[in-house]
Amino acid sequence: MLIHLICAARPNFMKVAPLYHALKEEAWAEPVIVHTGQHYDVNMSDSFFRDLRLPEPHIHLGVGSGTHAEQTGRVMMAYEKVLMEKQPDLVIVVGDVNSTVACTLAATKVHYSTLSQPNGLKEPTKYNRPLVAHLEAGLRSFDRTMPEEINRLVTDALADMLWTPSPDGDENLLREGVAAEKICRVGNIMIDSLEMLRGSIESQTAFKELNLTPGEYGVVTLHRPSNVDSPGNLGRLCRSLTGICREVPLVFPIHPRTRKNLEHFGLLSTVSESNGLHLVEPLNYIRFMNLVFNCRLAITDSGGIQEETSYLGIPCLTLRENTERPITITQGTNQLCKVDDLEDKVAEILNGSRPKAKKIELWDGKTAQRIVKILKNRR
Ligand code: UD1
């Protein structure tokens, strides 16, 4: 079974890696990594491949940055050519980035003219196209101003198999009218990567190199357009962070979008000159996770960090009005937070006791194994 694993941007690589490694063990599976090139900097892409022990992408589309339509269109055009040439049996897309929806659109509309019976899978041969599976299906923020929400809705409407991380994902899909037999709860694949690399993460000393003491610093990441694309919002956030770092040192690996905007809005010197606020380049997976494992709290707008901190029992303040991962609030350690409340919320965490990590069902490092079993049964 020829299986394309689509990856594009930083949070995708940890979702594809466990599946690639698990499929590689199976004689019937031929996993092929397709990198669309949405993220291309060494520290946004290559270093993740190294950490996650992935080979060089077998196919690289090299699309780069652009507006949403440009990026989505370029991925569709480039991937359609690959689909026609390679004719995979199955395309697995992950997460909610532009490349996820672009590859789903290309794969569900392609028509293999020369092949009447795609090999490997029992169905649906009637379409003469690959099956499409979405890993991390069903998540909804119910906020259509987020580009990712549009990507999730379209991807889930089109994919043939919907692999969800949590019960809310199943409920959202059923409510949208998705047939129950398409939905399968497989768990959280990010936790597979975390567990796969736990030894390397724990033996790293990234925090020491920054003169940080375990349990006595915070990790900050920010890249969502709602937080970083307007000078007003980014300025308020910077002022809040410079206040907080007087109470607790913060390490802030800066995403390229955020750095560009800090420079553009003339805010970079405000943050870089603050004692206690350590600005660093984006870090590779193992070093970054080492910082997270040892921190007192996280301040973020990332989806993955809400999940990883919940799994690890680390308080997380999410600078958003909503989350597509509500289980991290109801069962994890995550809280939504407004910028104006950030300093107070940080003080509350610093004065409180550390929460206990709670077990979330199927967040156990075995998601890739469950997916392999599903695919085996469909052969
Ligand atoms: C994308 C995803 C977002 C995900 C995030 C993780 C979409 C709509 N957004 O957002 O869901 O959470 O990745 O990082 O798919 N840039 C570089 N080097 C790179 C990549 C980007 O310099 O390797 C710069 C470019 O100037 C680019 C900007 O960052 O214009 C934004 O990159 P882009 O891929 O468009 O979106 P992200 O903000 O990274």
Side-chain angles (χ1 to χ4, degrees), residues 9 11 38-41 44 65 68 71 96-98 148 223-224 255-257 260:
Q38 189 173 334
H39 282 179
Y40 42 83
D41 286 354
M44 296 295 282
S65 303
H68 287 278
Q71 200 170 50
D96 54 18
V97 302
N98 286 341
E148 293 82 0
H223 74 281
R224 295 273 166 208
H255 186 282
R257 173 193 280 278
K260 218 163 74 175

mmCIF file with all atom_site columns, all heavy atoms in Angstrom, residues 9 11 38-41 44 65 68 71 96-98 148 223-224 255-257 260, ligand 1:
data_model
loop_
_atom_site.group_PDB
_atom_site.id
_atom_site.type_symbol
_atom_site.label_atom_id
_atom_site.label_alt_id
_atom_site.label_comp_id
_atom_site.label_asym_id
_atom_site.label_entity_id
_atom_site.label_seq_id
_atom_site.pdbx_PDB_ins_code
_atom_site.Cartn_x
_atom_site.Cartn_y
_atom_site.Cartn_z
_atom_site.occupancy
_atom_site.B_iso_or_equiv
_atom_site.pdbx_formal_charge
_atom_site.auth_seq_id
_atom_site.auth_comp_id
_atom_site.auth_asym_id
_atom_site.auth_atom_id
_atom_site.pdbx_PDB_model_num
ATOM   1   N N   . ALA A 1 9   ? 4.383  22.157 7.865  1.00 0.00 ? 9   ALA A N   1
ATOM   2   C CA  . ALA A 1 9   ? 4.787  23.199 8.808  1.00 0.00 ? 9   ALA A CA  1
ATOM   3   C C   . ALA A 1 9   ? 5.191  22.545 10.127 1.00 0.00 ? 9   ALA A C   1
ATOM   4   O O   . ALA A 1 9   ? 4.845  21.382 10.378 1.00 0.00 ? 9   ALA A O   1
ATOM   5   C CB  . ALA A 1 9   ? 3.627  24.171 9.019  1.00 0.00 ? 9   ALA A CB  1
ATOM   6   N N   . PRO A 1 11  ? 4.355  22.189 13.270 1.00 0.00 ? 11  PRO A N   1
ATOM   7   C CA  . PRO A 1 11  ? 3.602  21.262 14.125 1.00 0.00 ? 11  PRO A CA  1
ATOM   8   C C   . PRO A 1 11  ? 3.218  19.955 13.430 1.00 0.00 ? 11  PRO A C   1
ATOM   9   O O   . PRO A 1 11  ? 2.740  19.032 14.080 1.00 0.00 ? 11  PRO A O   1
ATOM   10  C CB  . PRO A 1 11  ? 2.337  22.053 14.492 1.00 0.00 ? 11  PRO A CB  1
ATOM   11  C CG  . PRO A 1 11  ? 2.205  23.099 13.456 1.00 0.00 ? 11  PRO A CG  1
ATOM   12  C CD  . PRO A 1 11  ? 3.584  23.410 12.962 1.00 0.00 ? 11  PRO A CD  1
ATOM   13  N N   . GLN A 1 38  ? 5.938  24.424 3.135  1.00 0.00 ? 38  GLN A N   1
ATOM   14  C CA  . GLN A 1 38  ? 5.324  25.621 3.751  1.00 0.00 ? 38  GLN A CA  1
ATOM   15  C C   . GLN A 1 38  ? 6.293  26.243 4.772  1.00 0.00 ? 38  GLN A C   1
ATOM   16  O O   . GLN A 1 38  ? 6.457  27.448 4.824  1.00 0.00 ? 38  GLN A O   1
ATOM   17  C CB  . GLN A 1 38  ? 3.987  25.237 4.404  1.00 0.00 ? 38  GLN A CB  1
ATOM   18  C CG  . GLN A 1 38  ? 3.190  26.427 4.876  1.00 0.00 ? 38  GLN A CG  1
ATOM   19  C CD  . GLN A 1 38  ? 1.778  26.061 5.365  1.00 0.00 ? 38  GLN A CD  1
ATOM   20  O OE1 . GLN A 1 38  ? 1.204  25.064 4.960  1.00 0.00 ? 38  GLN A OE1 1
ATOM   21  N NE2 . GLN A 1 38  ? 1.241  26.887 6.241  1.00 0.00 ? 38  GLN A NE2 1
ATOM   22  N N   . HIS A 1 39  ? 6.908  25.411 5.593  1.00 0.00 ? 39  HIS A N   1
ATOM   23  C CA  . HIS A 1 39  ? 8.018  25.880 6.437  1.00 0.00 ? 39  HIS A CA  1
ATOM   24  C C   . HIS A 1 39  ? 9.312  25.359 5.834  1.00 0.00 ? 39  HIS A C   1
ATOM   25  O O   . HIS A 1 39  ? 9.390  24.205 5.414  1.00 0.00 ? 39  HIS A O   1
ATOM   26  C CB  . HIS A 1 39  ? 7.857  25.403 7.883  1.00 0.00 ? 39  HIS A CB  1
ATOM   27  C CG  . HIS A 1 39  ? 6.841  26.220 8.638  1.00 0.00 ? 39  HIS A CG  1
ATOM   28  N ND1 . HIS A 1 39  ? 6.497  25.970 9.944  1.00 0.00 ? 39  HIS A ND1 1
ATOM   29  C CD2 . HIS A 1 39  ? 6.107  27.307 8.267  1.00 0.00 ? 39  HIS A CD2 1
ATOM   30  C CE1 . HIS A 1 39  ? 5.587  26.863 10.346 1.00 0.00 ? 39  HIS A CE1 1
ATOM   31  N NE2 . HIS A 1 39  ? 5.330  27.679 9.346  1.00 0.00 ? 39  HIS A NE2 1
ATOM   32  N N   . TYR A 1 40  ? 10.317 26.222 5.786  1.00 0.00 ? 40  TYR A N   1
ATOM   33  C CA  . TYR A 1 40  ? 11.519 25.875 5.016  1.00 0.00 ? 40  TYR A CA  1
ATOM   34  C C   . TYR A 1 40  ? 12.814 26.239 5.743  1.00 0.00 ? 40  TYR A C   1
ATOM   35  O O   . TYR A 1 40  ? 13.872 25.766 5.383  1.00 0.00 ? 40  TYR A O   1
ATOM   36  C CB  . TYR A 1 40  ? 11.491 26.588 3.653  1.00 0.00 ? 40  TYR A CB  1
ATOM   37  C CG  . TYR A 1 40  ? 11.006 28.024 3.776  1.00 0.00 ? 40  TYR A CG  1
ATOM   38  C CD1 . TYR A 1 40  ? 11.859 29.051 4.135  1.00 0.00 ? 40  TYR A CD1 1
ATOM   39  C CD2 . TYR A 1 40  ? 9.653  28.326 3.597  1.00 0.00 ? 40  TYR A CD2 1
ATOM   40  C CE1 . TYR A 1 40  ? 11.396 30.348 4.286  1.00 0.00 ? 40  TYR A CE1 1
ATOM   41  C CE2 . TYR A 1 40  ? 9.181  29.629 3.749  1.00 0.00 ? 40  TYR A CE2 1
ATOM   42  C CZ  . TYR A 1 40  ? 10.058 30.634 4.099  1.00 0.00 ? 40  TYR A CZ  1
ATOM   43  O OH  . TYR A 1 40  ? 9.585  31.905 4.279  1.00 0.00 ? 40  TYR A OH  1
ATOM   44  N N   . ASP A 1 41  ? 12.761 27.113 6.776  1.00 0.00 ? 41  ASP A N   1
ATOM   45  C CA  . ASP A 1 41  ? 13.993 27.443 7.503  1.00 0.00 ? 41  ASP A CA  1
ATOM   46  C C   . ASP A 1 41  ? 14.538 26.180 8.175  1.00 0.00 ? 41  ASP A C   1
ATOM   47  O O   . ASP A 1 41  ? 13.763 25.305 8.570  1.00 0.00 ? 41  ASP A O   1
ATOM   48  C CB  . ASP A 1 41  ? 13.702 28.461 8.619  1.00 0.00 ? 41  ASP A CB  1
ATOM   49  C CG  . ASP A 1 41  ? 13.449 29.854 8.073  1.00 0.00 ? 41  ASP A CG  1
ATOM   50  O OD1 . ASP A 1 41  ? 13.616 30.067 6.858  1.00 0.00 ? 41  ASP A OD1 1
ATOM   51  O OD2 . ASP A 1 41  ? 13.080 30.739 8.879  1.00 0.00 ? 41  ASP A OD2 1
ATOM   52  N N   . MET A 1 44  ? 12.957 25.627 11.431 1.00 0.00 ? 44  MET A N   1
ATOM   53  C CA  . MET A 1 44  ? 11.503 25.396 11.413 1.00 0.00 ? 44  MET A CA  1
ATOM   54  C C   . MET A 1 44  ? 11.179 24.048 10.762 1.00 0.00 ? 44  MET A C   1
ATOM   55  O O   . MET A 1 44  ? 10.040 23.609 10.808 1.00 0.00 ? 44  MET A O   1
ATOM   56  C CB  . MET A 1 44  ? 10.792 26.497 10.605 1.00 0.00 ? 44  MET A CB  1
ATOM   57  C CG  . MET A 1 44  ? 10.895 27.891 11.169 1.00 0.00 ? 44  MET A CG  1
ATOM   58  S SD  . MET A 1 44  ? 10.061 28.068 12.752 1.00 0.00 ? 44  MET A SD  1
ATOM   59  C CE  . MET A 1 44  ? 8.356  28.184 12.208 1.00 0.00 ? 44  MET A CE  1
ATOM   60  N N   . SER A 1 65  ? 6.412  30.482 1.282  1.00 0.00 ? 65  SER A N   1
ATOM   61  C CA  . SER A 1 65  ? 5.400  31.350 1.892  1.00 0.00 ? 65  SER A CA  1
ATOM   62  C C   . SER A 1 65  ? 4.564  32.049 0.824  1.00 0.00 ? 65  SER A C   1
ATOM   63  O O   . SER A 1 65  ? 4.916  32.060 -0.352 1.00 0.00 ? 65  SER A O   1
ATOM   64  C CB  . SER A 1 65  ? 6.082  32.409 2.750  1.00 0.00 ? 65  SER A CB  1
ATOM   65  O OG  . SER A 1 65  ? 6.884  31.794 3.729  1.00 0.00 ? 65  SER A OG  1
ATOM   66  N N   . HIS A 1 68  ? -2.752 33.212 1.690  1.00 0.00 ? 68  HIS A N   1
ATOM   67  C CA  . HIS A 1 68  ? -3.443 31.924 1.863  1.00 0.00 ? 68  HIS A CA  1
ATOM   68  C C   . HIS A 1 68  ? -3.774 31.298 0.517  1.00 0.00 ? 68  HIS A C   1
ATOM   69  O O   . HIS A 1 68  ? -3.534 30.109 0.302  1.00 0.00 ? 68  HIS A O   1
ATOM   70  C CB  . HIS A 1 68  ? -4.711 32.112 2.702  1.00 0.00 ? 68  HIS A CB  1
ATOM   71  C CG  . HIS A 1 68  ? -4.379 32.354 4.129  1.00 0.00 ? 68  HIS A CG  1
ATOM   72  N ND1 . HIS A 1 68  ? -4.087 31.340 5.003  1.00 0.00 ? 68  HIS A ND1 1
ATOM   73  C CD2 . HIS A 1 68  ? -4.242 33.508 4.820  1.00 0.00 ? 68  HIS A CD2 1
ATOM   74  C CE1 . HIS A 1 68  ? -3.789 31.858 6.192  1.00 0.00 ? 68  HIS A CE1 1
ATOM   75  N NE2 . HIS A 1 68  ? -3.870 33.169 6.104  1.00 0.00 ? 68  HIS A NE2 1
ATOM   76  N N   . GLN A 1 71  ? -0.529 30.159 -1.330 1.00 0.00 ? 71  GLN A N   1
ATOM   77  C CA  . GLN A 1 71  ? 0.097  28.981 -0.744 1.00 0.00 ? 71  GLN A CA  1
ATOM   78  C C   . GLN A 1 71  ? -0.758 27.730 -1.011 1.00 0.00 ? 71  GLN A C   1
ATOM   79  O O   . GLN A 1 71  ? -0.248 26.696 -1.447 1.00 0.00 ? 71  GLN A O   1
ATOM   80  C CB  . GLN A 1 71  ? 0.238  29.209 0.762  1.00 0.00 ? 71  GLN A CB  1
ATOM   81  C CG  . GLN A 1 71  ? 1.258  28.333 1.429  1.00 0.00 ? 71  GLN A CG  1
ATOM   82  C CD  . GLN A 1 71  ? 1.508  28.790 2.851  1.00 0.00 ? 71  GLN A CD  1
ATOM   83  O OE1 . GLN A 1 71  ? 0.569  28.993 3.621  1.00 0.00 ? 71  GLN A OE1 1
ATOM   84  N NE2 . GLN A 1 71  ? 2.760  28.974 3.212  1.00 0.00 ? 71  GLN A NE2 1
ATOM   85  N N   . ASP A 1 96  ? -4.026 21.189 10.714 1.00 0.00 ? 96  ASP A N   1
ATOM   86  C CA  . ASP A 1 96  ? -4.985 22.158 10.170 1.00 0.00 ? 96  ASP A CA  1
ATOM   87  C C   . ASP A 1 96  ? -4.321 23.284 9.386  1.00 0.00 ? 96  ASP A C   1
ATOM   88  O O   . ASP A 1 96  ? -4.850 24.382 9.289  1.00 0.00 ? 96  ASP A O   1
ATOM   89  C CB  . ASP A 1 96  ? -5.790 22.757 11.339 1.00 0.00 ? 96  ASP A CB  1
ATOM   90  C CG  . ASP A 1 96  ? -4.883 23.349 12.419 1.00 0.00 ? 96  ASP A CG  1
ATOM   91  O OD1 . ASP A 1 96  ? -3.695 23.602 12.127 1.00 0.00 ? 96  ASP A OD1 1
ATOM   92  O OD2 . ASP A 1 96  ? -5.362 23.567 13.548 1.00 0.00 ? 96  ASP A OD2 1
ATOM   93  N N   . VAL A 1 97  ? -3.146 23.007 8.823  1.00 0.00 ? 97  VAL A N   1
ATOM   94  C CA  . VAL A 1 97  ? -2.456 24.094 8.117  1.00 0.00 ? 97  VAL A CA  1
ATOM   95  C C   . VAL A 1 97  ? -2.940 24.166 6.660  1.00 0.00 ? 97  VAL A C   1
ATOM   96  O O   . VAL A 1 97  ? -3.680 23.302 6.194  1.00 0.00 ? 97  VAL A O   1
ATOM   97  C CB  . VAL A 1 97  ? -0.911 23.945 8.205  1.00 0.00 ? 97  VAL A CB  1
ATOM   98  C CG1 . VAL A 1 97  ? -0.461 23.921 9.659  1.00 0.00 ? 97  VAL A CG1 1
ATOM   99  C CG2 . VAL A 1 97  ? -0.418 22.706 7.480  1.00 0.00 ? 97  VAL A CG2 1
ATOM   100 N N   . ASN A 1 98  ? -2.498 25.201 5.944  1.00 0.00 ? 98  ASN A N   1
ATOM   101 C CA  . ASN A 1 98  ? -2.970 25.380 4.569  1.00 0.00 ? 98  ASN A CA  1
ATOM   102 C C   . ASN A 1 98  ? -2.680 24.156 3.696  1.00 0.00 ? 98  ASN A C   1
ATOM   103 O O   . ASN A 1 98  ? -3.479 23.788 2.831  1.00 0.00 ? 98  ASN A O   1
ATOM   104 C CB  . ASN A 1 98  ? -2.320 26.620 3.946  1.00 0.00 ? 98  ASN A CB  1
ATOM   105 C CG  . ASN A 1 98  ? -2.923 27.911 4.495  1.00 0.00 ? 98  ASN A CG  1
ATOM   106 O OD1 . ASN A 1 98  ? -4.025 27.899 5.055  1.00 0.00 ? 98  ASN A OD1 1
ATOM   107 N ND2 . ASN A 1 98  ? -2.219 29.022 4.348  1.00 0.00 ? 98  ASN A ND2 1
ATOM   108 N N   . GLU A 1 148 ? -7.060 28.387 10.335 1.00 0.00 ? 148 GLU A N   1
ATOM   109 C CA  . GLU A 1 148 ? -7.022 26.946 10.628 1.00 0.00 ? 148 GLU A CA  1
ATOM   110 C C   . GLU A 1 148 ? -8.420 26.349 10.727 1.00 0.00 ? 148 GLU A C   1
ATOM   111 O O   . GLU A 1 148 ? -8.624 25.177 10.402 1.00 0.00 ? 148 GLU A O   1
ATOM   112 C CB  . GLU A 1 148 ? -6.264 26.677 11.933 1.00 0.00 ? 148 GLU A CB  1
ATOM   113 C CG  . GLU A 1 148 ? -4.778 26.994 11.894 1.00 0.00 ? 148 GLU A CG  1
ATOM   114 C CD  . GLU A 1 148 ? -4.462 28.469 12.113 1.00 0.00 ? 148 GLU A CD  1
ATOM   115 O OE1 . GLU A 1 148 ? -5.402 29.271 12.298 1.00 0.00 ? 148 GLU A OE1 1
ATOM   116 O OE2 . GLU A 1 148 ? -3.263 28.820 12.087 1.00 0.00 ? 148 GLU A OE2 1
ATOM   117 N N   . HIS A 1 223 ? 2.499  33.124 17.802 1.00 0.00 ? 223 HIS A N   1
ATOM   118 C CA  . HIS A 1 223 ? 2.599  33.277 16.342 1.00 0.00 ? 223 HIS A CA  1
ATOM   119 C C   . HIS A 1 223 ? 1.253  33.481 15.658 1.00 0.00 ? 223 HIS A C   1
ATOM   120 O O   . HIS A 1 223 ? 1.206  33.721 14.460 1.00 0.00 ? 223 HIS A O   1
ATOM   121 C CB  . HIS A 1 223 ? 3.289  32.053 15.723 1.00 0.00 ? 223 HIS A CB  1
ATOM   122 C CG  . HIS A 1 223 ? 2.412  30.833 15.686 1.00 0.00 ? 223 HIS A CG  1
ATOM   123 N ND1 . HIS A 1 223 ? 2.200  30.050 16.790 1.00 0.00 ? 223 HIS A ND1 1
ATOM   124 C CD2 . HIS A 1 223 ? 1.668  30.287 14.691 1.00 0.00 ? 223 HIS A CD2 1
ATOM   125 C CE1 . HIS A 1 223 ? 1.378  29.064 16.471 1.00 0.00 ? 223 HIS A CE1 1
ATOM   126 N NE2 . HIS A 1 223 ? 1.029  29.182 15.207 1.00 0.00 ? 223 HIS A NE2 1
ATOM   127 N N   . ARG A 1 224 ? 0.135  33.375 16.406 1.00 0.00 ? 224 ARG A N   1
ATOM   128 C CA  . ARG A 1 224 ? -1.183 33.490 15.741 1.00 0.00 ? 224 ARG A CA  1
ATOM   129 C C   . ARG A 1 224 ? -1.381 34.897 15.195 1.00 0.00 ? 224 ARG A C   1
ATOM   130 O O   . ARG A 1 224 ? -1.092 35.881 15.915 1.00 0.00 ? 224 ARG A O   1
ATOM   131 C CB  . ARG A 1 224 ? -2.317 33.229 16.733 1.00 0.00 ? 224 ARG A CB  1
ATOM   132 C CG  . ARG A 1 224 ? -2.354 31.862 17.281 1.00 0.00 ? 224 ARG A CG  1
ATOM   133 C CD  . ARG A 1 224 ? -3.114 30.887 16.440 1.00 0.00 ? 224 ARG A CD  1
ATOM   134 N NE  . ARG A 1 224 ? -2.788 29.556 16.927 1.00 0.00 ? 224 ARG A NE  1
ATOM   135 C CZ  . ARG A 1 224 ? -2.802 28.456 16.207 1.00 0.00 ? 224 ARG A CZ  1
ATOM   136 N NH1 . ARG A 1 224 ? -3.141 28.508 14.944 1.00 0.00 ? 224 ARG A NH1 1
ATOM   137 N NH2 . ARG A 1 224 ? -2.491 27.308 16.738 1.00 0.00 ? 224 ARG A NH2 1
ATOM   138 N N   . HIS A 1 255 ? 9.071  32.882 16.694 1.00 0.00 ? 255 HIS A N   1
ATOM   139 C CA  . HIS A 1 255 ? 8.608  32.392 15.386 1.00 0.00 ? 255 HIS A CA  1
ATOM   140 C C   . HIS A 1 255 ? 8.937  33.449 14.324 1.00 0.00 ? 255 HIS A C   1
ATOM   141 O O   . HIS A 1 255 ? 8.855  34.652 14.606 1.00 0.00 ? 255 HIS A O   1
ATOM   142 C CB  . HIS A 1 255 ? 7.091  32.182 15.507 1.00 0.00 ? 255 HIS A CB  1
ATOM   143 C CG  . HIS A 1 255 ? 6.454  31.555 14.308 1.00 0.00 ? 255 HIS A CG  1
ATOM   144 N ND1 . HIS A 1 255 ? 6.184  32.256 13.159 1.00 0.00 ? 255 HIS A ND1 1
ATOM   145 C CD2 . HIS A 1 255 ? 6.006  30.294 14.086 1.00 0.00 ? 255 HIS A CD2 1
ATOM   146 C CE1 . HIS A 1 255 ? 5.612  31.447 12.283 1.00 0.00 ? 255 HIS A CE1 1
ATOM   147 N NE2 . HIS A 1 255 ? 5.486  30.251 12.824 1.00 0.00 ? 255 HIS A NE2 1
ATOM   148 N N   . PRO A 1 256 ? 9.284  33.036 13.090 1.00 0.00 ? 256 PRO A N   1
ATOM   149 C CA  . PRO A 1 256 ? 9.646  34.028 12.054 1.00 0.00 ? 256 PRO A CA  1
ATOM   150 C C   . PRO A 1 256 ? 8.567  35.083 11.818 1.00 0.00 ? 256 PRO A C   1
ATOM   151 O O   . PRO A 1 256 ? 8.879  36.261 11.602 1.00 0.00 ? 256 PRO A O   1
ATOM   152 C CB  . PRO A 1 256 ? 9.844  33.182 10.797 1.00 0.00 ? 256 PRO A CB  1
ATOM   153 C CG  . PRO A 1 256 ? 9.934  31.768 11.212 1.00 0.00 ? 256 PRO A CG  1
ATOM   154 C CD  . PRO A 1 256 ? 9.424  31.651 12.619 1.00 0.00 ? 256 PRO A CD  1
ATOM   155 N N   . ARG A 1 257 ? 7.297  34.678 11.846 1.00 0.00 ? 257 ARG A N   1
ATOM   156 C CA  . ARG A 1 257 ? 6.205  35.658 11.642 1.00 0.00 ? 257 ARG A CA  1
ATOM   157 C C   . ARG A 1 257 ? 6.236  36.726 12.749 1.00 0.00 ? 257 ARG A C   1
ATOM   158 O O   . ARG A 1 257 ? 6.110  37.920 12.491 1.00 0.00 ? 257 ARG A O   1
ATOM   159 C CB  . ARG A 1 257 ? 4.856  34.921 11.699 1.00 0.00 ? 257 ARG A CB  1
ATOM   160 C CG  . ARG A 1 257 ? 3.641  35.830 11.670 1.00 0.00 ? 257 ARG A CG  1
ATOM   161 C CD  . ARG A 1 257 ? 2.374  35.079 12.040 1.00 0.00 ? 257 ARG A CD  1
ATOM   162 N NE  . ARG A 1 257 ? 1.797  34.286 10.984 1.00 0.00 ? 257 ARG A NE  1
ATOM   163 C CZ  . ARG A 1 257 ? 1.004  34.773 10.008 1.00 0.00 ? 257 ARG A CZ  1
ATOM   164 N NH1 . ARG A 1 257 ? 0.699  36.036 9.984  1.00 0.00 ? 257 ARG A NH1 1
ATOM   165 N NH2 . ARG A 1 257 ? 0.513  33.988 9.096  1.00 0.00 ? 257 ARG A NH2 1
ATOM   166 N N   . LYS A 1 260 ? 9.371  39.058 12.457 1.00 0.00 ? 260 LYS A N   1
ATOM   167 C CA  . LYS A 1 260 ? 9.175  40.006 11.371 1.00 0.00 ? 260 LYS A CA  1
ATOM   168 C C   . LYS A 1 260 ? 8.291  41.168 11.852 1.00 0.00 ? 260 LYS A C   1
ATOM   169 O O   . LYS A 1 260 ? 8.582  42.344 11.609 1.00 0.00 ? 260 LYS A O   1
ATOM   170 C CB  . LYS A 1 260 ? 8.490  39.274 10.197 1.00 0.00 ? 260 LYS A CB  1
ATOM   171 C CG  . LYS A 1 260 ? 8.970  39.695 8.847  1.00 0.00 ? 260 LYS A CG  1
ATOM   172 C CD  . LYS A 1 260 ? 8.606  38.702 7.755  1.00 0.00 ? 260 LYS A CD  1
ATOM   173 C CE  . LYS A 1 260 ? 7.135  38.745 7.381  1.00 0.00 ? 260 LYS A CE  1
ATOM   174 N NZ  . LYS A 1 260 ? 6.805  37.865 6.244  1.00 0.00 ? 260 LYS A NZ  1
HETATM 175 C C1  . UD1 B 2 .   ? 1.483  28.101 10.018 1.00 0.00 ? 1   UD1 B C1  1
HETATM 176 C C2  . UD1 B 2 .   ? 0.056  27.540 10.128 1.00 0.00 ? 1   UD1 B C2  1
HETATM 177 C C3  . UD1 B 2 .   ? -0.376 27.522 11.582 1.00 0.00 ? 1   UD1 B C3  1
HETATM 178 C C4  . UD1 B 2 .   ? 0.640  26.813 12.442 1.00 0.00 ? 1   UD1 B C4  1
HETATM 179 C C5  . UD1 B 2 .   ? 1.988  27.475 12.245 1.00 0.00 ? 1   UD1 B C5  1
HETATM 180 C C6  . UD1 B 2 .   ? 3.097  26.872 13.069 1.00 0.00 ? 1   UD1 B C6  1
HETATM 181 C C7  . UD1 B 2 .   ? -1.508 28.005 8.287  1.00 0.00 ? 1   UD1 B C7  1
HETATM 182 C C8  . UD1 B 2 .   ? -2.656 28.814 7.866  1.00 0.00 ? 1   UD1 B C8  1
HETATM 183 N N1  . UD1 B 2 .   ? -0.887 28.378 9.417  1.00 0.00 ? 1   UD1 B N1  1
HETATM 184 O O1  . UD1 B 2 .   ? 1.434  29.456 10.440 1.00 0.00 ? 1   UD1 B O1  1
HETATM 185 O O2  . UD1 B 2 .   ? -1.613 26.844 11.673 1.00 0.00 ? 1   UD1 B O2  1
HETATM 186 O O3  . UD1 B 2 .   ? 0.247  26.889 13.782 1.00 0.00 ? 1   UD1 B O3  1
HETATM 187 O O4  . UD1 B 2 .   ? 2.336  27.352 10.857 1.00 0.00 ? 1   UD1 B O4  1
HETATM 188 O O5  . UD1 B 2 .   ? 4.273  27.605 12.900 1.00 0.00 ? 1   UD1 B O5  1
HETATM 189 O O6  . UD1 B 2 .   ? -1.194 27.039 7.627  1.00 0.00 ? 1   UD1 B O6  1
HETATM 190 N N2  . UD1 B 2 .   ? 8.465  31.976 7.614  1.00 0.00 ? 1   UD1 B N2  1
HETATM 191 C C9  . UD1 B 2 .   ? 9.827  31.903 7.606  1.00 0.00 ? 1   UD1 B C9  1
HETATM 192 N N3  . UD1 B 2 .   ? 10.399 30.664 7.580  1.00 0.00 ? 1   UD1 B N3  1
HETATM 193 C C10 . UD1 B 2 .   ? 9.674  29.510 7.564  1.00 0.00 ? 1   UD1 B C10 1
HETATM 194 C C11 . UD1 B 2 .   ? 8.268  29.622 7.578  1.00 0.00 ? 1   UD1 B C11 1
HETATM 195 C C12 . UD1 B 2 .   ? 7.682  30.843 7.609  1.00 0.00 ? 1   UD1 B C12 1
HETATM 196 O O7  . UD1 B 2 .   ? 10.524 32.900 7.614  1.00 0.00 ? 1   UD1 B O7  1
HETATM 197 O O8  . UD1 B 2 .   ? 10.264 28.413 7.574  1.00 0.00 ? 1   UD1 B O8  1
HETATM 198 C C13 . UD1 B 2 .   ? 7.828  33.306 7.676  1.00 0.00 ? 1   UD1 B C13 1
HETATM 199 C C14 . UD1 B 2 .   ? 7.407  33.802 6.314  1.00 0.00 ? 1   UD1 B C14 1
HETATM 200 O O9  . UD1 B 2 .   ? 7.701  35.140 6.258  1.00 0.00 ? 1   UD1 B O9  1
HETATM 201 C C15 . UD1 B 2 .   ? 5.914  33.605 6.305  1.00 0.00 ? 1   UD1 B C15 1
HETATM 202 C C16 . UD1 B 2 .   ? 5.545  33.709 7.779  1.00 0.00 ? 1   UD1 B C16 1
HETATM 203 O O10 . UD1 B 2 .   ? 6.682  33.238 8.493  1.00 0.00 ? 1   UD1 B O10 1
HETATM 204 O O11 . UD1 B 2 .   ? 5.256  34.535 5.516  1.00 0.00 ? 1   UD1 B O11 1
HETATM 205 C C17 . UD1 B 2 .   ? 4.348  32.898 8.142  1.00 0.00 ? 1   UD1 B C17 1
HETATM 206 O O12 . UD1 B 2 .   ? 4.479  31.556 7.712  1.00 0.00 ? 1   UD1 B O12 1
HETATM 207 P P1  . UD1 B 2 .   ? 3.203  30.707 7.246  1.00 0.00 ? 1   UD1 B P1  1
HETATM 208 O O13 . UD1 B 2 .   ? 3.603  29.313 6.901  1.00 0.00 ? 1   UD1 B O13 1
HETATM 209 O O14 . UD1 B 2 .   ? 2.415  31.463 6.243  1.00 0.00 ? 1   UD1 B O14 1
HETATM 210 O O15 . UD1 B 2 .   ? 2.289  30.694 8.530  1.00 0.00 ? 1   UD1 B O15 1
HETATM 211 P P2  . UD1 B 2 .   ? 2.627  30.475 10.071 1.00 0.00 ? 1   UD1 B P2  1
HETATM 212 O O16 . UD1 B 2 .   ? 2.381  31.728 10.781 1.00 0.00 ? 1   UD1 B O16 1
HETATM 213 O O17 . UD1 B 2 .   ? 3.938  29.798 10.294 1.00 0.00 ? 1   UD1 B O17 1
#
